[in-house]
Amino acid sequence: MAIAPIENGKLVETASQASIKESEKKKSNSTVDKDQFLQLLVAQMKYQDPLEPTSNTEYISQYATFSELEQMQNMSASLELARASSLVGQTVLMKVTDSAGKTTTAQGNVDYVYYENNKAFLSINGELYSMDDLDTVADPKYLSAYSAAADFLNTYNKLPILQLVTLENEDTIKKLDETYQNMSDYEKKFISDDYVKGLKKYVEKIEELRAGLKEEEGDKTEGTDTDDKTEGTDKTEGTDKTEGNGQSADADKK
């Protein structure tokens, strides 16, 4: 039994439910089974013009054409079922478009395949999806690398322009550079050279800002040392004056 989430007091159709619903809708609108064809054929015979009756040869030709079409449909269904079976254990991406035109994606491993009326449904994360909504079949290594690159680019694009970078952005830039350096060669292939060069400029900018800050701190330290030396000189001069005064007093006593 499918469970639909509720938002704002209303039932929300899940991607799985939309996939199955659209699959059933496509089948009902585009397929004609043998019983329906025979009913149409009987109706055609029943209401044909008695003055210009349809020949038996034409009826046989129509039936033969339908039989060929049915065989092609069965063959196509068999191929789809075989393809669906080969996806078990594979990582896939489903792209579902509901009746309202909203597109939803679902990604995961195919646990099993469910068959109903020559239609295959893939079980992904406990939900069923029609084979019609299959968008991508990918190797887990590829998806992992793609996801890592996407996270990298997302963080990179949030950085301010180079001219507005401050030391407040230092941690983010350092972590981003560390992330890139720890990537495998395969993962790095998903990031263009423009982004790599841009990251290098950000790192150099932070180094420049950090060096400038150290210079400012050094200047302040030197200024403090100079003041201390000046004060020391004053004290020395005071001592000399005192010593001078003392010698004068002794001379007076004599």
Side-chain angles (χ1 to χ4, degrees), residues 4-12 102:
I6 299 177
E7 292 183 4
N8 299 325
K10 297 181 180 180
L11 290 175
V12 179
K102 180 182 178 181

Side-chain angles (χ1 to χ4, degrees), residues 130-141:
S130 170
M131 273 286 293
D132 296 335
D133 296 319
L134 178 64
D135 181 75
T136 306
V137 181
D139 179 70
K141 181 181 177 182

